[in-house]
PDB file of all heavy atoms in Angstrom:
ATOM      1  N   GLU A   2     154.303  46.272 108.107  1.00 52.00           N
ATOM      2  CA  GLU A   2     153.099  45.443 108.119  1.00 52.00           C
ATOM      3  C   GLU A   2     152.973  44.665 109.431  1.00 52.00           C
ATOM      4  O   GLU A   2     151.905  44.517 109.957  1.00 52.00           O
ATOM      5  CB  GLU A   2     153.102  44.468 106.933  1.00 52.00           C
ATOM      6  CG  GLU A   2     152.831  45.115 105.601  1.00 52.00           C
ATOM      7  CD  GLU A   2     151.456  45.746 105.526  1.00 52.00           C
ATOM      8  OE1 GLU A   2     150.464  45.066 105.795  1.00 52.00           O
ATOM      9  OE2 GLU A   2     151.381  46.939 105.194  1.00 52.00           O
ATOM     10  N   PHE A  13     141.693  44.687 118.299  1.00 96.00           N
ATOM     11  CA  PHE A  13     140.472  43.890 118.194  1.00 96.00           C
ATOM     12  C   PHE A  13     140.415  42.766 119.223  1.00 96.00           C
ATOM     13  O   PHE A  13     139.324  42.377 119.655  1.00 96.00           O
ATOM     14  CB  PHE A  13     140.283  43.372 116.769  1.00 96.00           C
ATOM     15  CG  PHE A  13     139.814  44.443 115.835  1.00 96.00           C
ATOM     16  CD1 PHE A  13     140.660  44.958 114.868  1.00 96.00           C
ATOM     17  CD2 PHE A  13     138.539  44.956 115.939  1.00 96.00           C
ATOM     18  CE1 PHE A  13     140.237  45.964 114.018  1.00 96.00           C
ATOM     19  CE2 PHE A  13     138.099  45.960 115.095  1.00 96.00           C
ATOM     20  CZ  PHE A  13     138.951  46.467 114.128  1.00 96.00           C
ATOM     21  N   LEU A  18     136.835  41.298 123.962  1.00 89.00           N
ATOM     22  CA  LEU A  18     136.525  40.917 125.341  1.00 89.00           C
ATOM     23  C   LEU A  18     135.521  41.860 126.000  1.00 89.00           C
ATOM     24  O   LEU A  18     134.962  41.544 127.047  1.00 89.00           O
ATOM     25  CB  LEU A  18     137.814  40.853 126.174  1.00 89.00           C
ATOM     26  CG  LEU A  18     138.792  39.761 125.735  1.00 89.00           C
ATOM     27  CD1 LEU A  18     140.095  39.885 126.502  1.00 89.00           C
ATOM     28  CD2 LEU A  18     138.177  38.381 125.894  1.00 89.00           C
ATOM     29  N   ALA A  20     132.835  42.977 124.214  1.00 82.00           N
ATOM     30  CA  ALA A  20     131.669  42.928 123.331  1.00 82.00           C
ATOM     31  C   ALA A  20     130.458  42.286 124.005  1.00 82.00           C
ATOM     32  O   ALA A  20     129.876  41.344 123.485  1.00 82.00           O
ATOM     33  CB  ALA A  20     132.025  42.209 122.038  1.00 82.00           C
ATOM     34  N   ARG A  49     131.165  54.781 106.497  1.00 92.00           N
ATOM     35  CA  ARG A  49     130.895  54.028 105.264  1.00 92.00           C
ATOM     36  C   ARG A  49     131.222  52.546 105.442  1.00 92.00           C
ATOM     37  O   ARG A  49     130.449  51.677 105.024  1.00 92.00           O
ATOM     38  CB  ARG A  49     131.671  54.614 104.093  1.00 92.00           C
ATOM     39  CG  ARG A  49     131.093  55.932 103.582  1.00 92.00           C
ATOM     40  CD  ARG A  49     131.705  56.360 102.269  1.00 92.00           C
ATOM     41  NE  ARG A  49     133.125  56.680 102.370  1.00 92.00           N
ATOM     42  CZ  ARG A  49     133.598  57.859 102.776  1.00 92.00           C
ATOM     43  NH1 ARG A  49     132.771  58.820 103.104  1.00 92.00           N
ATOM     44  NH2 ARG A  49     134.890  58.070 102.833  1.00 92.00           N
ATOM     45  N   LEU A  50     132.351  52.255 106.067  1.00 94.00           N
ATOM     46  CA  LEU A  50     132.710  50.853 106.302  1.00 94.00           C
ATOM     47  C   LEU A  50     131.713  50.183 107.242  1.00 94.00           C
ATOM     48  O   LEU A  50     131.337  49.025 107.042  1.00 94.00           O
ATOM     49  CB  LEU A  50     134.133  50.753 106.862  1.00 94.00           C
ATOM     50  CG  LEU A  50     135.255  51.176 105.918  1.00 94.00           C
ATOM     51  CD1 LEU A  50     136.607  51.051 106.613  1.00 94.00           C
ATOM     52  CD2 LEU A  50     135.239  50.385 104.624  1.00 94.00           C
ATOM     53  N   MET A  63     131.698  41.483 111.167  1.00 93.00           N
ATOM     54  CA  MET A  63     132.266  41.833 109.872  1.00 93.00           C
ATOM     55  C   MET A  63     132.900  43.232 109.884  1.00 93.00           C
ATOM     56  O   MET A  63     133.766  43.525 109.062  1.00 93.00           O
ATOM     57  CB  MET A  63     131.194  41.759 108.787  1.00 93.00           C
ATOM     58  CG  MET A  63     131.757  41.656 107.402  1.00 93.00           C
ATOM     59  SD  MET A  63     130.503  41.520 106.110  1.00 93.00           S
ATOM     60  CE  MET A  63     129.574  40.107 106.619  1.00 93.00           C
ATOM     61  N   LEU A  86     137.320  37.408 116.969  1.00 93.00           N
ATOM     62  CA  LEU A  86     136.542  36.209 117.275  1.00 93.00           C
ATOM     63  C   LEU A  86     137.134  35.324 118.371  1.00 93.00           C
ATOM     64  O   LEU A  86     136.403  34.830 119.227  1.00 93.00           O
ATOM     65  CB  LEU A  86     136.372  35.365 116.005  1.00 93.00           C
ATOM     66  CG  LEU A  86     135.472  35.949 114.930  1.00 93.00           C
ATOM     67  CD1 LEU A  86     135.514  35.081 113.679  1.00 93.00           C
ATOM     68  CD2 LEU A  86     134.049  36.090 115.431  1.00 93.00           C
ATOM     69  N   LEU A  92     136.285  33.129 125.891  1.00 89.00           N
ATOM     70  CA  LEU A  92     135.622  33.639 127.090  1.00 89.00           C
ATOM     71  C   LEU A  92     134.175  33.156 127.165  1.00 89.00           C
ATOM     72  O   LEU A  92     133.690  32.751 128.230  1.00 89.00           O
ATOM     73  CB  LEU A  92     135.679  35.166 127.129  1.00 89.00           C
ATOM     74  CG  LEU A  92     135.032  35.836 128.338  1.00 89.00           C
ATOM     75  CD1 LEU A  92     135.739  35.436 129.624  1.00 89.00           C
ATOM     76  CD2 LEU A  92     135.056  37.347 128.170  1.00 89.00           C
ATOM     77  N   SER A  97     129.964  29.980 129.578  1.00 86.00           N
ATOM     78  CA  SER A  97     128.809  29.087 129.434  1.00 86.00           C
ATOM     79  C   SER A  97     128.973  27.848 130.306  1.00 86.00           C
ATOM     80  O   SER A  97     128.013  27.372 130.907  1.00 86.00           O
ATOM     81  CB  SER A  97     128.592  28.703 127.971  1.00 86.00           C
ATOM     82  OG  SER A  97     129.610  27.838 127.524  1.00 86.00           O
ATOM     83  N   GLN A 101     126.483  26.961 133.403  1.00 85.00           N
ATOM     84  CA  GLN A 101     125.840  25.656 133.566  1.00 85.00           C
ATOM     85  C   GLN A 101     126.100  25.090 134.961  1.00 85.00           C
ATOM     86  O   GLN A 101     125.206  24.560 135.593  1.00 85.00           O
ATOM     87  CB  GLN A 101     126.360  24.668 132.520  1.00 85.00           C
ATOM     88  CG  GLN A 101     125.804  24.882 131.144  1.00 85.00           C
ATOM     89  CD  GLN A 101     126.411  23.917 130.128  1.00 85.00           C
ATOM     90  OE1 GLN A 101     127.431  23.289 130.370  1.00 85.00           O
ATOM     91  NE2 GLN A 101     125.757  23.817 128.983  1.00 85.00           N
ATOM     92  N   ALA A 115     122.106  41.858 135.361  1.00 89.00           N
ATOM     93  CA  ALA A 115     122.747  43.181 135.292  1.00 89.00           C
ATOM     94  C   ALA A 115     123.394  43.425 133.934  1.00 89.00           C
ATOM     95  O   ALA A 115     123.527  44.575 133.506  1.00 89.00           O
ATOM     96  CB  ALA A 115     123.792  43.314 136.398  1.00 89.00           C
ATOM     97  N   ALA A 120     124.407  45.767 128.062  1.00 81.00           N
ATOM     98  CA  ALA A 120     124.457  45.431 126.639  1.00 81.00           C
ATOM     99  C   ALA A 120     123.573  46.370 125.825  1.00 81.00           C
ATOM    100  O   ALA A 120     123.978  46.855 124.755  1.00 81.00           O
ATOM    101  CB  ALA A 120     124.038  43.978 126.420  1.00 81.00           C
ATOM    102  N   GLY A 122     122.644  49.442 126.592  1.00 85.00           N
ATOM    103  CA  GLY A 122     123.263  50.764 126.584  1.00 85.00           C
ATOM    104  C   GLY A 122     124.426  50.843 125.600  1.00 85.00           C
ATOM    105  O   GLY A 122     124.589  51.837 124.890  1.00 85.00           O
ATOM    106  N   ALA A 126     124.657  53.299 122.351  1.00 84.00           N
ATOM    107  CA  ALA A 126     125.824  54.153 122.117  1.00 84.00           C
ATOM    108  C   ALA A 126     126.424  53.891 120.742  1.00 84.00           C
ATOM    109  O   ALA A 126     126.882  54.819 120.066  1.00 84.00           O
ATOM    110  CB  ALA A 126     126.871  53.916 123.202  1.00 84.00           C
ATOM    111  N   GLY A 128     124.807  53.046 118.029  1.00 80.00           N
ATOM    112  CA  GLY A 128     123.970  53.752 117.063  1.00 80.00           C
ATOM    113  C   GLY A 128     124.259  55.241 117.045  1.00 80.00           C
ATOM    114  O   GLY A 128     124.325  55.863 115.982  1.00 80.00           O
ATOM    115  N   LYS A 156     106.243  45.747 113.510  1.00 91.00           N
ATOM    116  CA  LYS A 156     106.728  44.386 113.324  1.00 91.00           C
ATOM    117  C   LYS A 156     107.332  44.217 111.934  1.00 91.00           C
ATOM    118  O   LYS A 156     107.575  43.100 111.494  1.00 91.00           O
ATOM    119  CB  LYS A 156     105.592  43.399 113.534  1.00 91.00           C
ATOM    120  CG  LYS A 156     105.098  43.382 114.963  1.00 91.00           C
ATOM    121  CD  LYS A 156     104.050  42.339 115.187  1.00 91.00           C
ATOM    122  CE  LYS A 156     103.510  42.504 116.595  1.00 91.00           C
ATOM    123  NZ  LYS A 156     103.309  41.309 117.296  1.00 91.00           N
ATOM    124  N   PRO A 162     112.253  49.813 106.733  1.00 92.00           N
ATOM    125  CA  PRO A 162     112.502  51.230 107.029  1.00 92.00           C
ATOM    126  C   PRO A 162     113.909  51.678 106.630  1.00 92.00           C
ATOM    127  O   PRO A 162     114.111  52.840 106.262  1.00 92.00           O
ATOM    128  CB  PRO A 162     112.285  51.344 108.538  1.00 92.00           C
ATOM    129  CG  PRO A 162     112.262  49.965 109.069  1.00 92.00           C
ATOM    130  CD  PRO A 162     111.903  49.061 107.939  1.00 92.00           C
ATOM    131  N   ALA A 164     115.544  50.650 103.939  1.00 92.00           N
ATOM    132  CA  ALA A 164     115.478  50.890 102.492  1.00 92.00           C
ATOM    133  C   ALA A 164     114.727  52.182 102.200  1.00 92.00           C
ATOM    134  O   ALA A 164     115.168  52.988 101.357  1.00 92.00           O
ATOM    135  CB  ALA A 164     114.808  49.709 101.788  1.00 92.00           C
ATOM    136  N   THR A 167     116.912  55.126 103.086  1.00 90.00           N
ATOM    137  CA  THR A 167     117.965  55.289 102.078  1.00 90.00           C
ATOM    138  C   THR A 167     117.423  55.965 100.829  1.00 90.00           C
ATOM    139  O   THR A 167     118.027  56.908 100.303  1.00 90.00           O
ATOM    140  CB  THR A 167     118.586  53.922 101.724  1.00 90.00           C
ATOM    141  OG1 THR A 167     119.116  53.338 102.906  1.00 90.00           O
ATOM    142  CG2 THR A 167     119.670  54.061 100.684  1.00 90.00           C
TER     143      THR A 167
END
Side-chain angles (χ1 to χ4, degrees):
E2 287 297 306
F13 285 109
L18 295 173
R49 286 191 295 277
L50 294 179
M63 199 178 304
L86 290 174
L92 180 63
S97 70
Q101 284 177 344
K156 294 184 186 222
T167 301

